[in-house]
Amino acid sequence: MERIGQNIKMYRELKKMTQTELALKARLGVSTITKFENGEKNPDRQTLLKISTVLDVPITELTGVQEEGIVHAEIDEELVELIHEIGIEKAKFILRKMKDLNEPQYLQLVRTVFEQKYEVAE
């Protein structure tokens, strides 16, 4: 269950929140947040709900387990860094829009971005 603590820390840092801020907003002690993040203690379901609400992420993202019991794959470090760089809201927006594209639309978008970045003349 050490993974839960790592996930809490990752999402807290992505939100640019300190342990103290998370503790205050979730109405928990700072030492409790520290113990969760260090894997020394596991939060109960009610506490996970409080933390997930404050961090604005589903409980399944904190636990790494989907409702059906399927474990999420570990999040790629580069992906975490990119999300951190552009911000969570922009990343969510981009991913939602990309999810709705069909293959030809996706390829056209990639082509357009590539052409603008490298100023490709046709």
Side-chain angles (χ1 to χ4, degrees):
M1 288 280 179
E2 183 178 307
R3 187 83 183 128
I4 292 173
Q6 292 171 348
N7 289 341
I8 290 171
K9 182 177 181 176
M10 178 186 71
Y11 283 108
R12 176 181 60 76
E13 289 176 345
L14 285 172
K15 289 282 189 180
K16 297 183 172 128
M17 195 180 286
T18 65
Q19 286 183 338
T20 303
E21 290 170 324
L22 176 57
L24 287 171
K25 291 180 180 182
R27 298 179 186 226
L28 300 166
V30 177
S31 63
T32 302
I33 298 296
T34 301
K35 287 177 183 177
F36 293 157
E37 290 186 0
N38 291 337
E40 297 170 22
K41 183 176 178 183
N42 294 318
D44 60 27
R45 186 128 177 105
Q46 189 63 34
T47 303
L48 272 173
L49 181 60
K50 287 180 188 179
I51 293 170
S52 72
T53 300
V54 171
L55 295 176
D56 192 29
V57 296
I59 287 179
T60 56
E61 292 297 317
L62 297 178
T63 62
V65 179
Q66 294 179 347
E67 294 303 317
E68 304 85 38
I70 301 170
V71 177
H72 283 234
E74 291 210 12
I75 298 176
D76 182 273
E77 283 298 317
E78 182 181 10
L79 182 58
V80 171
E81 186 60 35
L82 289 168
I83 291 169
H84 183 70
E85 285 178 23
I86 68 171
I88 292 173
E89 292 307 313
K90 279 184 182 178
K92 284 182 185 178
F93 176 80
I94 291 166
L95 290 171
R96 282 189 194 111
K97 294 301 177 188
M98 293 298 290
K99 179 182 77 159
D100 294 336
L101 297 178
N102 61 33
E103 190 70 17
Q105 291 170 324
Y106 169 77
L107 292 173
Q108 179 58 44
L109 177 64
V110 171
R111 186 176 301 117
T112 301
V113 169
F114 180 82
E115 288 171 355
Q116 286 190 3
K117 178 171 173 102
Y118 297 104
E119 298 181 21
V120 176
E122 291 194 31

